[in-house]
Amino acid sequence: GAVVSQHPSRVICKSGTSVKIECRSLDFQATTMFWYRQFPKQSLMLMATSNEGSKATYEQGVEKDKFLINHASLTLSTLTVTSAHPEDSSFYICSARGIQGGTYNEQFFGPGTRLTVL
Amino acid sequence: SQKIEQNSEALNIQEGKTATLTCNYTNYSPAYLQWYRQDPGRGPVFLLLIRENEKEKRKERLKVTFDTTLKQSLFHITASQPADSATYLCALNTGGFKTIFGAGTRLFVKA
């Protein structure tokens, strides 16, 4: 159980285009989803937190107009990188967490999406 | 300032030995702490969660301890195998939505 999928796993795009990444919780309801980016040999950097049906909360320094997050259902969140530039090239990872019995459960991660902007 | 520190240097051990990884934190009062494994180019995989009122948690060859006085968690892998080679991340949650990750420690297990 507790599987999170991410699609696509790799994407290469031209500068100026937009890229959408999907994150799905396959066997549980994710009340909260998180989006991270990770540079080589560095830790996960939280970009934003989203709760189903409400607007995402962005971390300081993350442009909300550039990284659009939609958490339309309890099993799906999307991250759209708008007008991507080479500096947006990174490894993007989503994570999902549900609530059972009034306490937060473990956080489960997707396999990540490698974005390369040419 | 708030900090999570994991050994930045890689840990090299011989197969069959116990690997011990350290996670220290300052200026946090975590409600619980998690350990993850991450392989290159992959998302982290959840291993264990330990709550603030728990001293120790075990799962197969894994053991986690949590000392809120020392502000430290230790992660042990007993009878280590080359397949255990990966980066191990510790993560703190203070009871809200946000989880804060350490930079991870790279473990190499030699056959």
Side-chain angles (χ1 to χ4, degrees):
Chain A
V3 178
V4 176
S5 71
Q6 219 174 307
H7 179 79
S9 57
R10 288 179 179 273
V11 57
I12 300 173
C13 69
K14 291 183 179 178
S15 186
T17 60
S18 294
V19 174
K20 181 186 277 190
I21 303 170
E22 284 190 356
C23 177
R24 293 181 185 272
S25 57
L26 298 185
D27 52 1
F28 68 103
Q29 292 187 324
T31 49
T32 306
M33 283 188 169
F34 307 85
W35 286 95
Y36 294 83
R37 67 187 293 182
Q38 187 177 35
F39 293 104
K41 297 185 180 179
Q42 292 190 23
S43 185
L44 299 163
M45 287 174 44
L46 179 64
M47 299 174 66
T49 302
S50 74
N51 293 300
E52 183 263 338
S54 58
K55 288 184 180 178
T57 301
Y58 289 81
E59 293 300 299
Q60 194 173 7
V62 178
E63 298 175 58
K64 59 179 69 175
D65 293 332
K66 181 164 187 63
F67 298 100
L68 301 178
I69 291 171
N70 185 288
H71 191 165
S73 75
L74 284 171
T75 58
L76 173 64
S77 176
T78 59
L79 167 68
T80 302
V81 184
T82 61
S83 187
H85 290 286
E87 57 266 29
D88 298 324
S89 299
S90 189
F91 191 51
Y92 292 87
I93 312 174
C94 75
S95 175
R97 187 166 66 188
I99 296 180
Q100 289 183 358
T103 60
Y104 291 106
N105 281 343
E106 300 88 340
Q107 196 169 325
F108 297 98
F109 285 83
T113 297
R114 173 71 60 191
L115 170 63
T116 303
V117 185
L118 302 176
Chain B
S1 63
Q2 295 174 322
K3 251 195 253 185
I4 301 174
E5 290 182 342
Q6 293 186 254
N7 290 356
S8 56
E9 291 182 16
L11 179 63
N12 291 281
I13 64 167
Q14 199 65 38
E15 182 178 12
K17 301 291 186 185
T18 296
T20 299
L21 286 70
T22 306
C23 176
N24 294 300
Y25 59 92
T26 56
N27 296 327
Y28 282 111
S29 294
Y32 58 87
L33 186 149
Q34 302 175 73
W35 282 90
Y36 290 82
R37 168 187 174 137
Q38 187 175 25
D39 291 284
R42 307 289 296 174
V45 174
F46 170 78
L47 296 175
L48 280 168
L49 179 150
I50 186 165
R51 301 189 187 280
E52 60 179 335
N53 59 349
E54 298 173 318
K55 296 292 183 189
E56 183 179 295
K57 206 88 170 271
R58 290 175 186 260
K59 179 183 174 182
E60 297 173 354
R61 293 185 295 112
L62 309 180
K63 184 178 86 171
V64 171
T65 62
F66 193 9
D67 189 325
T68 55
T69 302
L70 289 178
K71 294 187 182 294
Q72 181 181 78
S73 175
L74 298 178
F75 176 78
H76 306 273
I77 306 175
T78 57
S80 59
Q81 304 165 1
D84 295 326
S85 299
T87 297
Y88 291 87
L89 309 171
C90 82
L92 302 181
N93 184 287
T94 55
F97 290 118
K98 196 181 294 190
T99 300
I100 311 297
F101 283 82
T105 298
R106 195 92 192 268
L107 171 67
F108 292 99
V109 181
K110 299 176 189 175

